[in-house]
Amino acid sequence: MTTDGEVRRGRRRGAGREAKRARAAAGGISQAYIKRKIPYYEILNAEGLEIIEYNADTILEEIGIDFRDDAEALELWRAAGADVQGERVRFPRGLCRKLVQDSAPAIFTQHARNPANSVLIGGDNTVMVPAYGPPFVHDLDKGRRYATIEDFQNFVKLAYMSKSLHHSGGTVCEPVDLPVNKRHFDMIYAHMRYSDKPFMGSVTAPERAEDTVAMARILFGDDFIDPETGQEKTVVVNLINANSPMTFDETMLGAAKVYARANQACVISPFILAGAMSPVTVAGTAAQILAEALAGMAFVQLIRPGAPVVFGTFASSISMQSGAPTFGSPEPAQVMYIAASLARRLGVPFRSGGGLCASKLPDAQAAYESANTLQAAAMAGVNFMLHTAGWLEGGLAMGYEKFMMDADQASMLSVFLGGVDMSENGQAMDALREVGPGNHFLGCAHTQANFESAFWRSEISDNNSFEQWQSEGSLDAAQRANIRWKSALSSYEAPAIDIAVDEALQEYIKVRKAAFADANY
Amino acid sequence: MTTDGEVRRGRRRGAGREAKRARAAAGGISQAYIKRKIPYYEILNAEGLEIIEYNADTILEEIGIDFRDDAEALELWRAAGADVQGERVRFPRGLCRKLVQDSAPAIFTQHARNPANSVLIGGDNTVMVPAYGPPFVHDLDKGRRYATIEDFQNFVKLAYMSKSLHHSGGTVCEPVDLPVNKRHFDMIYAHMRYSDKPFMGSVTAPERAEDTVAMARILFGDDFIDPETGQEKTVVVNLINANSPMTFDETMLGAAKVYARANQACVISPFILAGAMSPVTVAGTAAQILAEALAGMAFVQLIRPGAPVVFGTFASSISMQSGAPTFGSPEPAQVMYIAASLARRLGVPFRSGGGLCASKLPDAQAAYESANTLQAAAMAGVNFMLHTAGWLEGGLAMGYEKFMMDADQASMLSVFLGGVDMSENGQAMDALREVGPGNHFLGCAHTQANFESAFWRSEISDNNSFEQWQSEGSLDAAQRANIRWKSALSSYEAPAIDIAVDEALQEYIKVRKAAFADANY
């Protein structure tokens, strides 16, 4: 909890730092997200994508999707023209696509409480988001352990201070030191209080989604999210996983309904370990993903036409020997490329990606696997890149060092996605004429003029000579990252917040927590 | 040196292992190189590429290229219509391009002494080649130290045994325990004797290139490389670096002339630390690279029309603060994408890529940086991927563990480049129909039928549970790679070689070494 003094100090200092941070991002240009200036990579041609789309429609028409324990959902589908048998819903060809294309926005703004940090989700934009969901945390000092609310707050702070992460994320780790039925209050409050970047809402029960919306109304004000007028701005993005294969359960449907009715965004994400929850092939998995995403996004449009949806996918493959999920491997990258193309053809934003890995440590395995997924996600055109930073151990652990290293890679990708400068200055013919054969460019006028903006630099990598590196302690990348996260946390200052708003949030939490039977827990 | 007994044993066992190895590669399909089945990534459109091409021609026409200490080269250029002032050669617009396009092959075969290991260089093919040039080696046990001929032989053996490396490379490390003027004999012999994959020749002096060709004639037979008839097959690929900016020196020109006259392949490679040896921008660096590569490849065509050439580039950026080269960063990746597109438009094979990094250790930095370059090289369409495995410390060190980890990544990329199976089996609609909502695919008929070929698996990554990983010693990726290279070397068996050929090679080396003034060194 912060004192008034802290809040006021944070407001003053925070504003200056914020401006500086914004200027520093992306080579001096204020940018709360990445505006892509390079082409997408299309791994399949139109004919291949049409086959996948046809097969998805066949899945929807012949096999169908289960909507479990939700009579309202079944009634809505029946009214929309679907064939409902028990909980199985079968869809006339093209119905889901039509529902999505008729009303889902191709691009939407997720507002942050600091307007400079609002993000555009969809189109040619990329938003980098921390990892989501790990019950454990890991660092070099204490190893692996269960996550706490302090860890949660730490990752919110680290994401807030990161130049390359555009979002505070959601369940940056699972604070298992707090009771399951009430921890969402502390998680949402941490995002609201310790960051002013956009964040994600609770989806683990419909009433927790309602708490999220209620707290967002306090934070942003009733005029911002006004259920009376329907002029509701989108301030939370929410992860609605399909229960693959081809199933949505009542928890996810319940949360989706709450968010859709408040015009908050739903990321409909088939969660797939290919070979177990989908066929053992890329094309088969892609068709299933499209079918599930179409059914989920269309359902949101039935609840509230125009509510923002994101085509999500999380696909890994498994070891056929052990059943363990594997990351950084070729088949999930191919699935991601195809899904991104399908989302563009459908005209909705796309979520995938991230720094996925199976490693237990911030070692070379973690880095190879994460880089492979980050690269593919960037090339594919992911709009909402969940799990960008921190992932270890197949998502079971959030790593402090890993977080810093992945955020560094996200910074690299932001420059890559910014494209090639083909201006006269970029072509540099003057430099070539000035320097000529056999000389060097370090001192020429063009180099001097472009010195500040020249070349991305890692904040983690050591590029010095072996001897200098040795004289500085022969640290590896994880050890350097360890120094950086500690240094960042020690210099953290909270962004300013209106004291009345903060008090109202705390009061809401106090009242709501007291309403639980285990109030004294 | 091997005994006859060893040779005979090697021949017998080697043949069986070779066949098994070939079958195992690329999912059971014998394949000595990768046949790409996915599209290239084009970062610039045609208009952007035309600007680079126009600027390269302007560099060639207005600024020119220095050909140093080589009167023959200057005379050839004068005769070809270039403007020669001192050592500066200026080229009429389009001259170099015309010379290259008139006679340089778009694709050529590099023959290996084992025909099953011959590679196609160019077109849609990718050949993965070990790192080249490091004077140091590194492993976890002994740290960093100067390389020896034993290290050299070890890396030849490891590349020979690798399923994912298609080539024995060249200077896999610099055996500094041998005298500079004679070590090339031992290096070439190691490639010839301890591997039967294709390899690279010596370029550090014209007479060493002549030794390479002479030894290749012994290995392959006079009918294979016949200077009388001119029916010479290409059996060595040779790295001819430009002395950037815009300079070729007599050493490289001399080696290029020897190889070109014997119809051996020259990789003309501008070696660029952008910001020092080229402008500080991507488009400026790309234009310079194209100009240098065009001049070098055209020179080879003047020496012998039709001699195979490869458009090479090695471009890194530098830290503008320290001048140190940096790797895995966005600008060199952009340069590589552009250069690959330019090579395709020109119609010649392209060399770049590899697992480049600045790290001193096989740590997360090494892996992020290497994966970034490997991914970009694969997406760009590199044909001859030098430095695929082993690079540490900006190329100063060859790492044993790094070699195994990079080779593992090369295996991953071979599957990725193999494309998406869009057959009926790949589409897997039967599996989807059989399993249906809420069930799992592990036991279905389609999964069982595809079990063997399903999903690439890393040989280095650990995907097991935290508890199992812990019970197995909590090893990181480098420690697992350490076990693997030792195990590989301990099971190494030399490929068979004709005893008479081996004796002739050794005799050639003995006679030639004796001719040096410091014969007793």
Side-chain angles (χ1 to χ4, degrees):
Chain A
M1 295 301 108
T2 53
T3 67
D4 290 1
E6 280 170 333
V7 170
R8 292 208 187 86
R9 198 169 59 239
R11 186 200 302 262
R12 212 168 45 243
R13 292 196 192 163
R17 193 180 59 249
E18 184 55 42
K20 193 174 166 190
R21 196 182 59 76
R23 278 195 305 275
I29 299 154
S30 172
Q31 190 177 308
Y33 50 91
I34 300 167
K35 293 172 210 227
R36 182 192 193 91
K37 290 179 187 162
I38 61 172
Y40 299 102
Y41 182 70
E42 304 280 355
I43 199 166
L44 290 186
N45 58 18
E47 187 191 347
L49 295 170
E50 281 162 15
I51 291 171
I52 307 281
E53 288 169 343
Y54 182 87
N55 288 347
D57 249 346
T58 301
I59 293 168
L60 290 169
E61 182 184 33
E62 290 182 22
I63 304 169
I65 305 282
D66 280 359
F67 283 75
R68 294 212 172 137
D69 298 316
D70 191 324
E72 183 190 16
L74 299 175
E75 191 44 53
L76 280 167
W77 277 121
R78 201 172 279 117
D83 167 33
V84 180
Q85 308 283 340
E87 296 185 322
R88 178 71 51 90
V89 182
R90 293 184 177 81
F91 311 82
R93 293 193 90 82
L95 172 64
C96 292
R97 176 170 291 267
K98 183 173 188 320
L99 284 168
V100 172
Q101 291 187 322
D102 278 356
S103 57
I107 184 168
F108 64 91
T109 299
Q110 182 187 4
H111 296 272
R113 74 172 170 98
N114 176 350
N117 287 336
S118 295
V119 293
L120 265 179
I121 297 177
D124 288 337
N125 307 299
T126 303
V127 176
M128 300 287 204
V129 190
Y132 187 107
F136 296 97
V137 292
H138 177 277
D139 68 47
L140 291 192
D141 304 307
K142 296 189 232 166
R144 179 207 204 228
R145 59 198 187 274
Y146 275 107
T148 66
I149 188 67
E150 187 186 346
D151 292 309
F152 190 102
Q153 292 164 352
N154 283 342
F155 284 108
V156 168
K157 293 173 182 176
L158 290 172
Y160 166 68
M161 298 175 83
S162 167
K163 285 189 289 189
S164 54
L165 298 173
H166 312 111
H167 208 276
S168 194
T171 308
V172 287
C173 59
E174 191 72 43
V176 297
D177 56 335
L178 299 181
V180 170
N181 59 357
K182 286 180 284 188
R183 66 173 67 138
H184 64 286
F185 296 112
D186 303 271
M187 296 160 72
I188 297 162
Y189 180 78
H191 284 301
M192 292 178 164
R193 181 63 197 91
Y194 301 118
S195 182
D196 62 8
K197 294 186 177 181
F199 61 93
M200 301 175 75
S202 179
V203 295
T204 48
E207 56 274 22
R208 295 176 199 157
E210 282 164 5
D211 283 325
T212 304
V213 173
M215 289 174 71
R217 288 204 170 104
I218 295 170
L219 184 70
F220 286 88
D222 276 346
D223 55 335
F224 214 79
I225 315 173
D226 184 353
E228 298 298 314
T229 64
Q231 297 300 313
E232 293 167 306
K233 295 202 168 82
T234 299
V235 299
V236 276
V237 166
N238 310 284
L239 185 61
I240 307 296
N241 280 335
N243 213 337
S244 302
M246 298 168 271
T247 305
F248 288 92
D249 66 29
E250 83 268 31
T251 302
M252 287 291 151
L253 293 172
K257 287 193 279 191
V258 170
Y259 286 122
R261 289 193 170 111
N263 202 38
Q264 303 306 307
C266 292
V267 184
I268 306 293
S269 282
F271 177 94
I272 302 237
L273 305 180
M277 285 127 87
S278 76
V280 76
T281 60
V282 168
T285 297
Q288 180 185 320
I289 286 171
L290 177 57
E292 293 175 2
L294 274 171
M297 291 188 290
F299 172 71
V300 169
Q301 298 308 307
L302 290 182
I303 295 292
R304 174 171 171 151
V309 288
V310 177
F311 180 154
T313 177
F314 174 95
S316 106
S317 52
I318 60 168
S319 161
M320 298 307 285
Q321 283 67 31
S322 69
T326 63
F327 300 94
S329 55
E331 297 87 358
Q334 293 174 336
V335 169
M336 180 159 56
Y337 280 115
I338 295 172
S341 301
L342 294 169
R344 273 192 294 281
R345 287 164 63 93
L346 192 57
V348 290
F350 180 60
R351 167 255 150 160
S352 191
L356 310 187
C357 69
S359 184
K360 290 78 187 166
L361 300 168
D363 67 347
Q365 176 185 346
Y368 278 116
E369 293 178 351
S370 296
N372 288 346
T373 316
L374 287 167
Q375 283 275 336
M379 299 293 279
V382 168
N383 299 116
F384 190 80
M385 202 185 292
L386 198 61
H387 307 314
T388 296
W391 243 59
L392 284 173
E393 210 189 308
L396 285 177
M398 184 75 163
Y400 279 85
E401 291 83 15
K402 180 70 167 23
F403 186 92
M404 301 306 282
M405 299 195 297
D406 286 337
D408 190 55
Q409 290 296 305
S411 155
M412 185 280 291
L413 288 173
S414 75
V415 174
F416 182 78
L417 291 167
V420 178
D421 175 8
M422 290 299 293
S423 71
E424 208 166 301
N425 182 65
Q427 292 180 51
M429 290 302 288
D430 287 351
L432 287 154
R433 288 192 179 95
E434 179 185 340
V435 174
N439 299 310
H440 73 73
F441 289 77
L442 288 170
C444 80
H446 180 266
T447 301
Q448 293 303 310
N450 289 277
F451 190 87
E452 286 294 327
S453 62
F455 299 145
W456 174 80
R457 270 188 93 195
S458 168
E459 296 187 341
I460 303 287
S461 285
D462 182 293
N463 304 305
N464 294 325
S465 70
F466 182 85
E467 291 71 21
Q468 187 171 344
W469 169 78
Q470 208 172 27
S471 77
E472 290 171 4
S474 303
L475 302 184
D476 69 15
Q479 290 169 316
R480 291 190 297 273
N482 179 274
I483 294 169
R484 290 197 72 84
W485 70 257
K486 289 175 184 169
S487 158
L489 283 183
S490 74
S491 69
Y492 170 81
E493 291 180 55
I497 193 167
D498 184 297
I499 295 164
V501 168
D502 191 22
E503 285 171 354
L505 285 171
Q506 293 188 43
E507 180 63 21
Y508 177 88
I509 293 171
K510 188 174 151 196
V511 170
R512 284 283 296 130
K513 279 190 173 177
F516 284 83
D518 58 347
N520 61 343
Y521 178 85
Chain B
M1 295 303 106
T2 55
T3 68
D4 291 359
E6 280 172 333
V7 170
R8 292 210 186 84
R9 198 168 61 239
R11 187 203 299 266
R12 212 168 46 242
R13 290 197 193 163
R17 193 180 61 249
E18 185 54 42
K20 192 173 168 191
R21 196 182 60 76
R23 280 195 304 275
I29 298 154
S30 171
Q31 191 177 308
Y33 51 90
I34 301 167
K35 293 171 209 231
R36 181 192 193 90
K37 290 180 186 161
I38 62 171
Y40 299 102
Y41 182 70
E42 305 278 356
I43 198 167
L44 289 186
N45 59 19
E47 187 191 346
L49 294 170
E50 282 161 15
I51 290 171
I52 306 281
E53 287 169 343
Y54 181 87
N55 289 348
D57 250 346
T58 302
I59 293 168
L60 290 169
E61 182 185 34
E62 290 181 22
I63 303 169
I65 305 282
D66 280 358
F67 284 74
R68 295 214 171 137
D69 299 315
D70 191 325
E72 182 189 16
L74 299 174
E75 192 42 55
L76 281 167
W77 278 121
R78 202 172 279 120
D83 168 32
V84 180
Q85 308 284 340
E87 296 187 322
R88 179 72 51 89
V89 183
R90 292 183 178 83
F91 311 81
R93 294 193 90 83
L95 173 64
C96 292
R97 176 171 292 268
K98 183 173 186 322
L99 286 168
V100 171
Q101 291 186 322
D102 278 356
S103 57
I107 184 168
F108 65 92
T109 298
Q110 182 187 2
H111 295 273
R113 74 172 171 101
N114 177 351
N117 287 337
S118 295
V119 293
L120 266 178
I121 298 177
D124 287 338
N125 306 300
T126 303
V127 176
M128 301 287 203
V129 190
Y132 187 106
F136 297 97
V137 292
H138 177 276
D139 68 47
L140 290 191
D141 304 307
K142 296 188 233 166
R144 181 209 204 226
R145 59 196 187 276
Y146 275 108
T148 66
I149 188 66
E150 187 186 347
D151 292 309
F152 190 102
Q153 292 164 352
N154 283 343
F155 283 109
V156 169
K157 293 172 182 176
L158 290 172
Y160 167 68
M161 298 174 83
S162 167
K163 284 190 289 189
S164 54
L165 298 173
H166 312 110
H167 209 277
S168 194
T171 308
V172 288
C173 58
E174 191 72 43
V176 297
D177 55 336
L178 299 181
V180 170
N181 58 356
K182 287 179 284 189
R183 67 174 65 138
H184 64 286
F185 296 111
D186 303 271
M187 296 159 72
I188 297 162
Y189 180 78
H191 284 302
M192 292 178 163
R193 181 65 196 92
Y194 300 119
S195 182
D196 61 8
K197 293 186 179 181
F199 62 93
M200 301 174 76
S202 180
V203 295
T204 49
E207 56 274 23
R208 295 175 199 158
E210 282 163 6
D211 283 325
T212 304
V213 174
M215 290 174 70
R217 288 205 170 104
I218 296 170
L219 183 70
F220 286 91
D222 275 345
D223 55 333
F224 214 78
I225 314 173
D226 184 354
E228 298 298 313
T229 64
Q231 297 301 311
E232 294 166 305
K233 295 202 169 81
T234 299
V235 300
V236 274
V237 166
N238 309 284
L239 185 60
I240 307 296
N241 280 336
N243 213 339
S244 303
M246 298 169 271
T247 304
F248 287 92
D249 66 29
E250 82 270 30
T251 302
M252 286 292 151
L253 293 172
K257 286 193 279 191
V258 171
Y259 285 123
R261 290 194 169 112
N263 202 37
Q264 302 308 307
C266 291
V267 184
I268 305 293
S269 282
F271 178 92
I272 303 235
L273 306 181
M277 286 127 86
S278 77
V280 76
T281 60
V282 168
T285 297
Q288 180 185 321
I289 285 171
L290 178 57
E292 293 176 0
L294 275 172
M297 291 188 290
F299 172 71
V300 170
Q301 297 309 304
L302 289 183
I303 294 292
R304 173 172 173 150
V309 288
V310 177
F311 180 155
T313 176
F314 174 94
S316 106
S317 51
I318 60 169
S319 162
M320 298 307 285
Q321 283 67 32
S322 68
T326 63
F327 299 95
S329 55
E331 297 88 358
Q334 292 174 336
V335 169
M336 180 158 58
Y337 280 116
I338 294 172
S341 301
L342 295 169
R344 274 193 293 280
R345 286 164 64 92
L346 192 56
V348 290
F350 180 62
R351 167 254 151 160
S352 192
L356 309 186
C357 69
S359 184
K360 289 79 188 166
L361 300 169
D363 67 346
Q365 176 186 344
Y368 278 117
E369 293 178 353
S370 297
N372 288 345
T373 315
L374 288 167
Q375 283 274 337
M379 300 293 278
V382 169
N383 299 117
F384 190 79
M385 201 184 292
L386 198 61
H387 307 313
T388 296
W391 244 58
L392 285 173
E393 211 189 306
L396 285 177
M398 185 75 165
Y400 279 86
E401 290 82 16
K402 180 70 169 19
F403 187 92
M404 302 306 282
M405 297 195 299
D406 286 336
D408 190 55
Q409 291 296 304
S411 154
M412 184 279 291
L413 287 173
S414 75
V415 174
F416 182 77
L417 291 168
V420 178
D421 175 9
M422 292 298 294
S423 70
E424 208 165 302
N425 182 64
Q427 293 179 51
M429 290 302 288
D430 287 352
L432 287 154
R433 287 191 179 96
E434 178 184 341
V435 174
N439 298 310
H440 73 74
F441 289 77
L442 289 171
C444 79
H446 179 267
T447 301
Q448 293 303 310
N450 289 277
F451 190 86
E452 286 294 328
S453 62
F455 300 146
W456 174 81
R457 269 189 92 196
S458 168
E459 295 187 341
I460 304 286
S461 284
D462 183 293
N463 304 304
N464 294 326
S465 70
F466 182 85
E467 291 70 21
Q468 186 172 343
W469 169 78
Q470 208 172 26
S471 77
E472 290 170 6
S474 303
L475 302 184
D476 69 15
Q479 291 169 315
R480 291 190 297 271
N482 179 273
I483 294 169
R484 290 197 73 84
W485 70 256
K486 290 176 183 168
S487 157
L489 283 183
S490 74
S491 68
Y492 169 81
E493 290 180 55
I497 193 167
D498 185 296
I499 294 164
V501 168
D502 192 21
E503 284 171 355
L505 285 170
Q506 293 188 44
E507 179 63 19
Y508 178 88
I509 294 172
K510 190 174 150 197
V511 171
R512 284 282 297 131
K513 279 190 175 179
F516 283 83
D518 59 345
N520 62 343
Y521 179 86

